[in-house]
Amino acid sequence: MTQPNPGPFRAVLFDLDGTLLDTIEDIAFSLNSVLERHGYPTHTVDECRLLVGYGMQELVRSSLPEEAHAEPVLMRMQAEMKQAYAEHWKDRSKAYDGIGRLLDAIGEMHLKRAILSNKPDGFTRLCADELLAGWSFDVVMGHHDGIAHKPDPQGALLIAGMLGVEPAEVLYVGDSGTDMKTAVAAGMYPVGVLWGYRDEEELLADGAEAVVEKPEEIIEILRKANGR
């Protein structure tokens, strides 16, 4: 269960896509280039906002018509998606406005910073290293063998252990219901953001204790919870 009262916090755990970074155009372009190559229907950027968040394999599967869900087809398309994304992952992707100030403030409060994404681990680390190069993170983790996709809390709990903090001491920031479910299951404090890929209704329905419109609001939550 999520703690009834927030804080004090010792760490902030972020989702990546739709939370720290706006990556949807590069994801959509990469996906559509593969779909179009094989004659499958493509998807608008807005449609892709609803497809992302469950991992790259699920993104490809959900983008294809049901008749294309045979395992050999899925494996081929997933491999081509990884290749396409490797070529285009930073064409347009960038940090959201205000994220730099938020990360700076977390550092000034001497709190730990971490990232947990359903994006493959290699791409997660690449995005963090290059698109968030001005800030260090104590842990950066994407999906890899042995770790279940969110909303399974396994990754979040593993990160809490690596940070040396209790789950209740972690403020979890994400843009989707998947993130809110992960935070609740892990016993962390879930904060939903509205600048990402999902809406307030989904965030609240899946357990958000707070929903914010700007990164500066997270700074205020942290300061209030930690008595600063």
Side-chain angles (χ1 to χ4, degrees), residues 88-150:
H88 298 287
W89 67 272
K90 64 174 181 177
D91 290 354
R92 299 174 183 82
S93 295
K94 61 185 184 301
Y96 286 101
D97 291 343
I99 290 299
R101 176 69 189 101
L102 170 57
L103 295 175
D104 286 342
I106 291 170
E108 291 164 5
M109 293 183 220
H110 305 291
L111 307 179
K112 297 182 178 181
R113 297 180 291 224
I115 294 172
L116 175 64
S117 176
N118 274 343
K119 183 194 290 287
D121 189 62
F123 286 129
T124 298
R125 294 176 182 275
L126 191 61
C127 287
D129 286 346
E130 296 207 24
L131 300 179
L132 297 167
W135 301 272
S136 62
F137 291 85
D138 297 277
V139 179
V140 176
M141 183 183 297
H143 181 257
H144 58 279
D145 290 343
I147 298 293
H149 284 96
K150 299 182 289 185

Side-chain angles (χ1 to χ4, degrees), residues 8-228:
F9 298 112
R10 296 175 59 199
V12 182
L13 177 55
F14 291 97
D15 172 51
L16 185 67
D17 300 272
T19 300
L20 290 172
L21 300 178
D22 185 359
T23 57
I24 194 64
E25 289 190 50
D26 290 335
I27 293 173
F29 179 85
S30 301
L31 178 65
N32 283 330
S33 68
V34 175
L35 294 173
E36 188 173 24
R37 183 185 309 148
H38 291 277
Y40 294 116
T42 57
H43 301 276
T44 67
V45 170
D46 283 341
E47 288 170 342
C48 287
R49 294 179 196 278
L50 301 178
L51 296 176
V52 299
Y54 307 101
M56 189 171 286
Q57 290 184 348
E58 179 59 23
L59 168 64
V60 172
R61 190 202 67 79
S62 61
S63 73
L64 288 165
E66 189 172 350
E67 61 268 21
H69 287 184
E71 192 64 22
V73 176
L74 289 174
M75 291 182 66
R76 182 175 68 250
M77 298 292 286
Q78 289 161 4
E80 291 187 22
M81 173 62 186
K82 287 183 179 179
Q83 181 179 356
Y85 191 60
E87 296 172 0
H88 298 287
W89 67 272
K90 64 174 181 177
D91 290 354
R92 299 174 183 82
S93 295
K94 61 185 184 301
Y96 286 101
D97 291 343
I99 290 299
R101 176 69 189 101
L102 170 57
L103 295 175
D104 286 342
I106 291 170
E108 291 164 5
M109 293 183 220
H110 305 291
L111 307 179
K112 297 182 178 181
R113 297 180 291 224
I115 294 172
L116 175 64
S117 176
N118 274 343
K119 183 194 290 287
D121 189 62
F123 286 129
T124 298
R125 294 176 182 275
L126 191 61
C127 287
D129 286 346
E130 296 207 24
L131 300 179
L132 297 167
W135 301 272
S136 62
F137 291 85
D138 297 277
V139 179
V140 176
M141 183 183 297
H143 181 257
H144 58 279
D145 290 343
I147 298 293
H149 284 96
K150 299 182 289 185
D152 189 295
Q154 181 184 14
L157 293 172
L158 178 60
I159 288 176
M162 295 169 71
L163 295 175
V165 302
E166 294 298 321
E169 296 175 314
V170 179
L171 186 145
Y172 187 115
V173 182
D175 73 303
S176 71
T178 296
D179 291 309
M180 300 303 98
K181 289 177 181 177
T182 304
V184 171
M188 300 175 178
Y189 190 79
V191 174
V193 306
L194 293 179
W195 57 79
Y197 305 151
R198 301 294 206 279
D199 60 22
E200 183 174 17
E201 182 179 2
E202 176 178 321
L203 295 168
L204 291 173
D206 288 324
E209 292 286 345
V211 176
V212 300
E213 295 182 351
K214 298 183 295 184
E216 290 79 8
E217 295 176 66
I218 298 174
I219 300 174
E220 294 307 311
I221 291 172
L222 289 168
R223 286 176 174 164
K224 182 177 180 181
N226 288 17
R228 296 175 182 270

